[in-house]
Amino acid sequence: MTALTIAVVARRVGFLYRLATVGEPAPERIEYARANIGAELKAQLVEVFGQKKLLKWTPSGIAHFFVMWAFFILLTVYVEAYGAMIQGAITGRPDFHIPLIGRWPVLGFLQDFIALAALLGLVAFAVIRIRNAPSKLGRDSRFSGSHLGGAWLILFMIFNIIWSLFLFRAAAINTGNFPYESGAFVSELVARILPTSSLLEEIALLLHIGLMLVFAVIVVNSKHLHIFTAPLNVLFSRRPDGLGAAQEMRSGGKVLDFEEADPETDVFGRGKIEETSWKGFLDFYTCTECGRCQSQCPAWNTDKPLSPKMLILDQRDHAFAVAPYLLMSEEQRAHAGQDVLALLEKPLVGEQGVIHPDVLWSCTNCGACVEQCPVDIEHIDHILDMRRYQVMIESAFPSEAGVMLKNLENKGNPWGMPEMKRAEWIEELDFEVEIVDEKMPEDTEYLFWVGCAGALEDRAKKTTKAVAELLHIAGVKFAVLGPMEACTGDPARRLGMEFLFNMLAQQNIETLNEAGVKKIVATCPHCFNTLANEYPQLGGHFEVVHHTQLLSHLVDTGKLTPITPIEEKITYHDPCFLGRHNKVYSQPRDIMAKVPGVTTQEMHRHKDRGFCCGAGGARMWMEERIGKRINTERVDEALTTDPDTVSTACPFCLVMLGDAINEKKTTGKAKETLEVVDVAQLLIKSIKG
């Protein structure tokens, strides 16, 4: 049975390996893991063995922690079981024990304890699944769309393994073949109700091993394959996580050079399943279908068709469906029937494709899915790859986004406004702001990256002026690029137009380098993320801070002192690209905490579980026609705190939340005095009085 099981499992593993390596190479993953062994070892200890991400959800996390550790610790029981079987066959006395530690009572206790804890974990899993059954909760269930039957089968098989383990050990105690004189407290209790029987011991031993072998075959053919692939997926995932920078476009394992790229021979994004990298296939294999990503997704929570979980599962199911044909030789494919060719040619994205376009374009790139995934699946990378193919090869994307792309290409900003308007906000200040001519002025510490919204959108300009005043008061010397500043390219990249992003980024990098810029402060988290995390991909290396980070430091060092009380109840909205993507949570809150009179009230979803405003992923320039508007959902949540003011630290959030609040005011559901402000506006109000 063991030999047969090993053969079946090995055959399945070989198939999975061959299928994954049909995809695009990803040498950068291996190179990074090899070069950062320390970080990868820490990730294994923290995420795999420590279950850090799973324990964010305490009840299910604790249950999983014990079940997972049962797999490791109970390996010693199988060493004992096989040893007893072999020794019994040879000597007639199946009283085998592991050399050196095999009679240590602590090991016997640990084996029984972890098996009992795993059994209780199974009960917890069953309760959680029954309480959250899709039949009861529909879309609100995080298990909606998961393969429910397979999950119950696995729970049933683990249960069988545990009770048969106690049966085998208890029978061995009664026959005197058990290695431990004490410690195995559960087995000893079971032994009291069992008869002394060598036959029972032999049957229980073979039954326990047989159930384990059947379980092994089921695992490699089910979603519980993650037992083996999760450590690999964590090993080859991006550090510190799959957030922050978007990945560069690659073809054949190399970064795509747009000056030499040929759509006929190079891979532009992902149009077919075989254009997925092997890391993408590893994501497919590793998905546990837990639905944590789905439960946190702003699109799914506002009745849109995007479920990050189903995005992965639909690709996985398609990959398995076409696997026999992907693994065919060219000669075999030449003789394949039309049905086979039709399956192979099925588009990855399309009305009749694997992924519906509405699924793809619902994503805001907020990162909630990546943040919550306990096995480091990188959903945004999958979405961006598919978007790139749709935009650059198929030219299939929402029409209003096309206007934005044209404006970026022709005017350097999404609104298509003249470049000279970028400096108009300066005229509204009562002090001089240096505009970079060719070189940064002497003794200037920071370049203030104003951003398109900060320079051109009326509400965002208030933040820009507040930050400029605060820096002036604090004595921080800064300058702006004015008309020389162009969009960082974030909307283009997040839409999938990588070529335009490259063009804008290289232009900005050249401008910044020629001006001698070293340090940048940005008010827009999207600009901040792009400048800090994505420009280094193209050779642009700068020290970049968000304005809340700099202002918090200036308050802490006494260069800015809020004096005038602001007697308001304020709730803070975490911008996704500041919070989840860059882990800046404390500084905006620290600023508000220093303003006298302010009372803060957190929304239910905040910090790493914060809810998107709906503007990311280039959605700022796309109509939201399906389900409830994301910004409306977020404002509804903010209103439950009964705030006087909603604060944030992003111009996009400022606009999106402001629009939703204005809509609420027209229906009488929000106070007429309620407004959305940047934390910088609160600070300047308190300082100036």
Side-chain angles (χ1 to χ4, degrees), residues 122-369:
L122 296 182
V123 174
F125 285 149
V127 170
I128 289 169
R129 286 190 168 274
I130 291 170
R131 278 185 163 184
N132 293 277
S135 57
K136 288 183 180 179
L137 303 179
R139 280 178 65 100
D140 291 336
S141 168
R142 63 186 176 96
F143 301 117
S144 175
S146 298
H147 296 84
L148 304 176
W152 283 110
L153 175 61
I154 290 293
L155 293 182
F156 178 64
M157 287 304 301
I158 297 174
F159 168 72
N160 285 332
I161 286 172
I162 292 174
W163 72 255
S164 65
L165 175 145
F166 287 131
L167 179 66
F168 148 58
R169 288 161 69 85
I173 289 172
N174 286 342
T175 60
N177 293 323
F178 195 57
Y180 311 100
E181 290 185 3
S182 63
F185 63 103
V186 179
S187 298
E188 290 171 359
L189 287 174
V190 176
R192 294 179 184 178
I193 62 174
L194 292 180
T196 301
S197 169
S198 295
L199 178 62
L200 176 61
E201 181 188 5
E202 291 172 6
I203 292 172
L205 171 60
L206 293 173
L207 177 65
H208 180 57
I209 291 176
L211 286 169
M212 180 273 292
L213 296 175
V214 172
F215 179 73
V217 172
I218 292 173
V219 162
V220 295
N221 287 278
S222 73
K223 76 182 185 72
H224 281 76
L225 180 65
H226 77 268
I227 294 170
F228 305 111
T229 59
L232 291 173
N233 212 45
V234 170
L235 174 65
F236 294 118
S237 62
R238 294 198 275 140
R239 294 281 159 241
D241 53 37
L243 298 172
Q247 279 196 302
E248 298 164 284
M249 270 188 69
R250 293 176 178 270
S251 178
K254 298 179 180 179
V255 177
L256 201 62
D257 183 344
F258 285 102
E259 292 184 3
E260 299 178 1
D262 183 355
E264 296 296 323
T265 57
D266 288 308
V267 174
F268 277 62
R270 190 186 307 173
K272 297 178 181 177
I273 198 69
E274 59 264 38
E275 292 170 348
T276 307
S277 73
W278 59 257
K279 172 57 173 69
F281 277 94
L282 199 54
D283 281 350
F284 301 158
Y285 300 163
T286 308
C287 181
T288 69
E289 304 184 26
C290 67
R292 294 186 182 207
C293 58
Q294 180 174 286
S295 70
Q296 301 298 300
C297 177
W300 183 260
N301 277 281
T302 52
D303 297 323
K304 295 171 180 61
L306 169 62
S307 157
K309 175 183 70 179
M310 297 308 299
L311 179 94
I312 298 298
L313 296 187
D314 287 345
Q315 290 182 90
R316 182 185 75 187
D317 292 346
H318 177 63
F320 284 152
V322 301
Y325 313 115
L326 291 179
L327 298 175
M328 282 181 175
S329 66
E330 290 297 326
E331 184 179 349
Q332 288 172 318
R333 288 192 188 186
H335 294 90
Q338 287 299 315
D339 55 334
V340 172
L341 296 176
L343 190 60
L344 284 173
E345 293 300 319
K346 184 177 182 179
L348 195 54
V349 179
E351 296 283 345
Q352 304 301 318
V354 179
I355 306 297
H356 194 279
D358 288 340
V359 170
L360 191 66
W361 298 112
S362 293
C363 179
T364 66
N365 279 208
C366 73
C369 49

